[in-house]
Amino acid sequence: MPWLEVSPSHWQRPLGENERMIKLLGDNAHPAGREHWSITVSGSFTMASSPSADGLGDRLRKAWMAFRFQHPSIASTAGADTVDYHVPDAKALEEWTNETLNIITDTAITVESLFATFKPSPYITGHFLAHTQQFVLHAPHWRTDGFGALQLLNAFFDALASELDPNTLPWGDEVARLVPSIEEVLELPEKATPEIQAATAECLRSGALVAGSIGLPYRADPDIKPGGTRSIRQSLAESTTAPVLAACDARNITPLSAVHASLAAANFAGGSPPSADGAGHYTSTMRFSLRPYLRAPYNSAQYASALYTGSYMAMVPPTSSWAENAARYSALYAAGLGRGFLIARRQFAVQVLEMLSRTGDLGPPRSEVDISSVDDAEKLVSPLHRSGGGDGGVLEVNDISLGLECLAKETYLFFWIFRGKIEFNLVFNEAFYDEDAMRRIMDTVVAELEKGLNV
């Protein structure tokens, strides 16, 4: 069902099954004051003309309001069964901005330390670190995905460069840009057909590959509660990135596949088999943005504030070489997603929700390092943003980062390329792992990448 105006200025639609599934997993951490799998993206930037601190604060507020006008779903809220949006008057807009935009002047706070302190919020929130000129977006995962979150960051930088006055915008018109659920976009029936049931069974089957997968050793005290999410960033210099990319081209594999194979090697090097008599394979997630598979306009950045993503599990055995694993991952990524995967999106979520309602989780704890990537991030975040006049002020994005809140024993390596450099962000929960161990994992990934490509 599409968005409907249920009372003056109040718009509503049903919560989609995929949104409901991811929201349930995130909400399970609310008693601990956390939001599992919430997404954080950040960007450091410079401006050609730097306003005063007060002037910049006012400009950030105006940009935040204009950003909402372009992407109103960032200000929608979720109930048990519905997503709601209220067209704001001037007072409500100011109150929402006060609640969701945080300007940080404490020079001791970094993006990494801020990451570990985020609490659940009914909205997407923005945070500006004045001393480092970094802007941070934090979003519950049911609202968007990695690709969409970076597109939203780009849209905020567009708004900041444009200097639009939100008081001149035609509030009420923004409801035309409220995002539908993936089930609505794919026009999936409420009742699954036999074809959809069969496709769903095939999608669920890959989950069996988790059994017997290798995992990292972790602090296993049953009384340990999740702590803050920590991250380790690493960049490869342009002088290293260029030969890595050239070597991938020469081998007819993608950079993502090469990194994925290197991460598999790091898991085998640092992991423990699931049982004393088993070698243990490595199971990880093949993640895909659904946006390229959607019809216009839902395949565009206009619908960034939406959960349009999907995945399945894949495994490699410990006997496979780096080159064999890279070729396998490259073939899987190149194959993409078929019709069966797409038509199963609603029923897949329905059945996972049923499983969660029965068991409370999705099986035994996983402790491998999994992977997530947006590949060429410049397709999502433009390095340069000009004001509406074209020759006006320029905002330059120098660096970006991507990660998520991790409250389980599973850890995640994020990979992207931006401004000629390969970038990594390894996120983990400080209660289960120490930083030195995670740095060794990161170092192993880089070493295996360079060794596998002979660079």
Side-chain angles (χ1 to χ4, degrees):
M1 182 185 298
W3 286 90
L4 296 174
E5 189 173 23
V6 295
S7 64
S9 298
H10 177 194
W11 291 76
Q12 188 179 82
R13 68 163 171 84
L15 195 63
E17 282 82 1
N18 281 267
E19 294 168 330
R20 192 187 301 269
M21 174 181 67
I22 299 299
K23 187 175 184 299
L24 177 60
L25 291 168
D27 289 358
N28 283 344
H30 283 190
R34 305 285 185 182
E35 174 107 23
H36 187 48
W37 282 353
S38 59
I39 297 174
T40 299
V41 294
S42 65
S44 63
F45 66 96
T46 53
M47 303 175 73
S49 57
S50 298
S52 65
D54 289 343
L56 181 56
D58 181 62
R59 188 164 168 179
L60 285 163
R61 287 179 62 86
K62 289 180 177 179
W64 188 245
M65 295 176 189
F67 172 49
R68 168 179 172 163
F69 183 77
Q70 292 301 324
H71 293 273
S73 288
I74 68 167
S76 63
T77 57
D81 299 301
T82 62
V83 183
D84 296 83
Y85 179 78
H86 295 266
V87 176
D89 57 20
K91 181 174 180 290
L93 187 61
E94 288 288 342
E95 290 173 346
W96 170 82
T97 302
N98 292 339
E99 182 177 354
T100 58
L101 180 64
N102 184 21
I103 298 176
I104 300 168
T105 57
D106 184 346
T107 57
I109 295 177
T110 65
V111 170
E112 288 73 22
S113 64
L114 184 66
F115 195 14
T117 65
F118 282 130
K119 304 297 182 186
S121 170
Y123 305 108
I124 290 179
T125 58
H127 311 262
F128 174 65
L129 280 66
H131 55 293
T132 56
Q133 287 283 112
Q134 290 173 290
F135 194 81
V136 181
L137 283 179
H138 183 241
H141 194 3
W142 71 265
R143 291 180 170 278
T144 189
D145 48 60
F147 290 87
L150 286 173
Q151 289 175 325
L152 288 173
L153 182 67
N154 187 69
F156 174 76
F157 286 139
D158 274 345
L160 186 58
S162 72
E163 299 186 69
L164 276 175
D165 182 352
N167 294 318
T168 66
L169 297 173
W171 290 96
D173 290 0
E174 78 276 14
V175 298
R177 293 183 292 278
L178 289 167
V179 299
S181 69
I182 188 62
E183 296 83 6
E184 181 76 17
V185 174
L186 291 173
E187 300 178 334
L188 300 177
E190 294 277 351
K191 182 174 175 58
T193 64
E195 181 188 20
I196 289 174
Q197 292 281 7
T200 302
E202 182 65 26
C203 291
L204 289 167
R205 196 168 292 124
S206 76
L209 298 175
V210 171
S213 178
I214 200 165
L216 300 183
Y218 56 86
R219 298 186 188 106
D221 186 332
D223 294 328
I224 291 179
K225 304 297 183 185
T229 298
R230 299 295 176 179
S231 63
I232 296 172
R233 277 289 311 273
Q234 183 157 337
S235 300
L236 301 188
E238 291 181 51
S239 59
T240 302
T241 296
V244 165
L245 299 183
C248 288
D249 284 342
R251 289 162 174 77
N252 197 30
I253 59 174
T254 63
L256 172 55
S257 303
V259 171
H260 204 157
S262 303
L263 181 60
N267 274 271
F268 286 127
S272 301
S275 61
D277 59 351
H281 55 267
Y282 170 61
T283 295
S284 56
T285 309
M286 303 294 299
R287 289 185 170 85
F288 294 86
S289 173
L290 299 183
R291 289 170 171 80
Y293 301 90
L294 305 180
R295 68 185 188 279
Y298 306 109
N299 57 356
S300 71
Q302 179 181 340
Y303 291 86
S305 184
L307 183 66
Y308 294 164
T309 187
S311 64
Y312 64 88
M313 311 305 295
M315 63 81 76
V316 292
T319 53
S320 293
S321 67
W322 184 96
E324 289 170 332
N325 290 340
R328 171 166 169 74
Y329 288 134
S330 197
L332 290 174
Y333 284 120
L337 302 174
R339 179 176 181 275
F341 186 94
L342 298 175
I343 65 173
R345 289 307 84 207
R346 185 194 295 274
Q347 187 62 22
F348 176 87
V350 166
Q351 293 186 214
V352 170
L353 282 165
E354 290 173 353
M355 187 187 311
L356 288 169
S357 68
R358 291 195 309 269
T359 64
D361 57 45
L362 295 176
R366 298 171 59 193
S367 64
E368 80 289 343
V369 187
D370 207 345
I371 191 166
S372 185
S373 173
V374 296
D375 294 322
D376 182 358
E378 285 189 40
K379 294 180 179 178
L380 307 171
V381 180
S382 173
L384 292 176
H385 299 256
R386 293 187 179 274
S387 63
D391 295 328
V394 173
L395 183 153
E396 183 172 4
V397 182
N398 304 308
D399 183 40
I400 62 170
S401 190
L402 168 66
L404 55 71
E405 181 102 23
C406 181
L407 297 176
K409 298 171 181 69
E410 190 174 19
T411 59
Y412 302 90
L413 179 69
F414 289 85
F415 157 69
W416 66 95
I417 302 170
F418 189 69
R419 303 201 72 152
K421 295 190 294 183
I422 286 175
E423 305 277 1
F424 297 111
N425 190 29
L426 178 60
V427 299
F428 61 96
N429 193 279
E430 62 185 353
F432 305 118
Y433 302 98
D434 64 71
E435 186 173 334
D436 288 344
M438 291 295 103
R439 286 196 180 279
R440 287 193 294 273
I441 292 291
M442 180 74 85
D443 291 343
T444 302
V445 170
V446 174
E448 291 290 339
L449 179 65
E450 293 177 346
K451 183 176 74 172
L453 293 171
N454 195 28
V455 298

